[in-house]
Short mmCIF file of all heavy atoms in Angstrom, two decimals:
data_model
loop_
_atom_site.label_atom_id
_atom_site.label_comp_id
_atom_site.label_asym_id
_atom_site.label_seq_id
_atom_site.Cartn_x
_atom_site.Cartn_y
_atom_site.Cartn_z
N SER A 250 131.28 15.07 -71.12
CA SER A 250 131.47 16.05 -70.11
C SER A 250 130.07 16.51 -69.52
O SER A 250 129.92 16.74 -68.31
CB SER A 250 132.32 17.17 -70.57
OG SER A 250 131.65 17.86 -71.68
N ILE A 251 129.13 16.55 -70.42
CA ILE A 251 127.76 16.94 -70.06
C ILE A 251 127.09 15.79 -69.34
O ILE A 251 126.47 15.95 -68.26
CB ILE A 251 126.92 17.37 -71.25
CG1 ILE A 251 127.50 18.60 -71.95
CG2 ILE A 251 125.50 17.77 -70.81
CD1 ILE A 251 126.97 18.89 -73.33
N TYR A 252 127.24 14.57 -69.87
CA TYR A 252 126.71 13.35 -69.34
C TYR A 252 127.28 13.10 -67.89
O TYR A 252 126.42 12.82 -66.94
CB TYR A 252 127.01 12.22 -70.18
CG TYR A 252 126.57 10.89 -69.82
CD1 TYR A 252 125.13 10.43 -69.84
CD2 TYR A 252 127.54 9.81 -69.50
CE1 TYR A 252 124.80 9.22 -69.56
CE2 TYR A 252 127.11 8.60 -69.11
CZ TYR A 252 125.74 8.30 -69.16
OH TYR A 252 125.35 6.97 -68.80
N GLY A 253 128.50 13.35 -67.69
CA GLY A 253 129.21 13.16 -66.42
C GLY A 253 128.53 14.08 -65.35
O GLY A 253 128.23 13.73 -64.27
N LYS A 254 128.27 15.36 -65.88
CA LYS A 254 127.82 16.42 -64.95
C LYS A 254 126.38 16.12 -64.62
O LYS A 254 125.93 16.18 -63.40
CB LYS A 254 128.00 17.79 -65.60
CG LYS A 254 127.42 18.90 -64.77
CD LYS A 254 127.74 20.33 -65.40
CE LYS A 254 126.87 20.63 -66.59
NZ LYS A 254 125.53 21.15 -66.20
N ASP A 255 125.54 15.98 -65.66
CA ASP A 255 124.03 15.92 -65.42
C ASP A 255 123.50 14.53 -64.99
O ASP A 255 122.58 14.48 -64.28
CB ASP A 255 123.35 16.49 -66.72
CG ASP A 255 123.64 17.88 -67.06
OD1 ASP A 255 124.18 18.53 -66.14
OD2 ASP A 255 123.32 18.41 -68.12
N GLU A 256 123.99 13.51 -65.74
CA GLU A 256 123.52 12.11 -65.49
C GLU A 256 124.17 11.36 -64.38
O GLU A 256 123.62 10.76 -63.54
CB GLU A 256 123.60 11.45 -66.77
CG GLU A 256 122.81 10.11 -66.78
CD GLU A 256 121.31 10.22 -67.01
OE1 GLU A 256 120.80 11.33 -67.20
OE2 GLU A 256 120.58 9.25 -66.95
N LEU A 257 125.57 11.46 -64.37
CA LEU A 257 126.22 10.62 -63.34
C LEU A 257 126.65 11.43 -62.21
O LEU A 257 127.23 10.92 -61.21
CB LEU A 257 127.64 10.16 -64.00
CG LEU A 257 127.38 9.30 -65.34
CD1 LEU A 257 128.76 8.99 -65.96
CD2 LEU A 257 126.68 7.95 -65.07
N SER A 258 126.37 12.77 -62.16
CA SER A 258 126.72 13.64 -60.98
C SER A 258 128.14 13.60 -60.69
O SER A 258 128.56 13.63 -59.50
CB SER A 258 125.83 13.27 -59.77
OG SER A 258 124.50 13.32 -60.05
N PHE A 259 129.02 13.59 -61.76
CA PHE A 259 130.53 13.70 -61.64
C PHE A 259 130.85 15.18 -61.22
O PHE A 259 130.21 16.09 -61.78
CB PHE A 259 131.26 13.26 -62.79
CG PHE A 259 131.36 11.68 -62.98
CD1 PHE A 259 130.58 10.86 -62.21
CD2 PHE A 259 132.18 11.27 -63.98
CE1 PHE A 259 130.74 9.45 -62.32
CE2 PHE A 259 132.21 9.88 -64.12
CZ PHE A 259 131.58 8.95 -63.32
N ASN A 260 131.90 15.38 -60.49
CA ASN A 260 132.49 16.77 -60.50
C ASN A 260 133.60 16.86 -61.63
O ASN A 260 133.86 15.89 -62.32
CB ASN A 260 133.02 17.12 -59.12
CG ASN A 260 134.16 16.17 -58.68
OD1 ASN A 260 134.93 15.67 -59.58
ND2 ASN A 260 134.42 15.92 -57.43
N SER A 261 134.07 18.11 -61.77
CA SER A 261 134.99 18.29 -62.94
C SER A 261 136.29 17.41 -62.79
O SER A 261 136.93 17.03 -63.72
CB SER A 261 135.32 19.81 -62.99
OG SER A 261 135.95 20.32 -61.84
N LYS A 262 136.63 17.11 -61.46
CA LYS A 262 137.76 16.17 -61.30
C LYS A 262 137.51 14.76 -61.77
O LYS A 262 138.39 14.19 -62.48
CB LYS A 262 138.13 16.10 -59.76
CG LYS A 262 139.50 15.73 -59.47
CD LYS A 262 139.70 15.64 -57.91
CE LYS A 262 139.81 16.97 -57.30
NZ LYS A 262 140.24 16.82 -55.80
N GLN A 263 136.32 14.25 -61.55
CA GLN A 263 135.96 12.90 -62.06
C GLN A 263 135.86 12.93 -63.57
O GLN A 263 136.29 11.94 -64.34
CB GLN A 263 134.62 12.42 -61.41
CG GLN A 263 134.85 12.18 -59.94
CD GLN A 263 133.35 11.97 -59.33
OE1 GLN A 263 132.68 12.88 -59.27
NE2 GLN A 263 133.11 10.71 -58.77
N VAL A 264 135.26 13.98 -64.17
CA VAL A 264 135.21 14.09 -65.60
C VAL A 264 136.62 14.17 -66.18
O VAL A 264 136.95 13.49 -67.21
CB VAL A 264 134.38 15.29 -66.03
CG1 VAL A 264 134.43 15.55 -67.60
CG2 VAL A 264 132.87 15.18 -65.63
N GLY A 265 137.48 15.00 -65.53
CA GLY A 265 138.87 15.08 -65.99
C GLY A 265 139.64 13.71 -65.94
O GLY A 265 140.38 13.43 -66.82
N LEU A 266 139.33 12.92 -64.97
CA LEU A 266 139.95 11.54 -64.86
C LEU A 266 139.59 10.76 -66.08
O LEU A 266 140.38 9.98 -66.66
CB LEU A 266 139.57 10.94 -63.50
CG LEU A 266 140.25 9.63 -63.19
CD1 LEU A 266 141.73 9.79 -63.11
CD2 LEU A 266 139.66 9.01 -61.89
#
Side-chain angles (χ1 to χ4, degrees):
S250 61
I251 300 168
Y252 178 70
K254 176 174 80 77
D255 293 349
E256 189 79 4
L257 303 174
S258 304
F259 279 12
N260 62 28
S261 56
K262 203 183 281 188
Q263 289 168 299
V264 172
L266 187 61

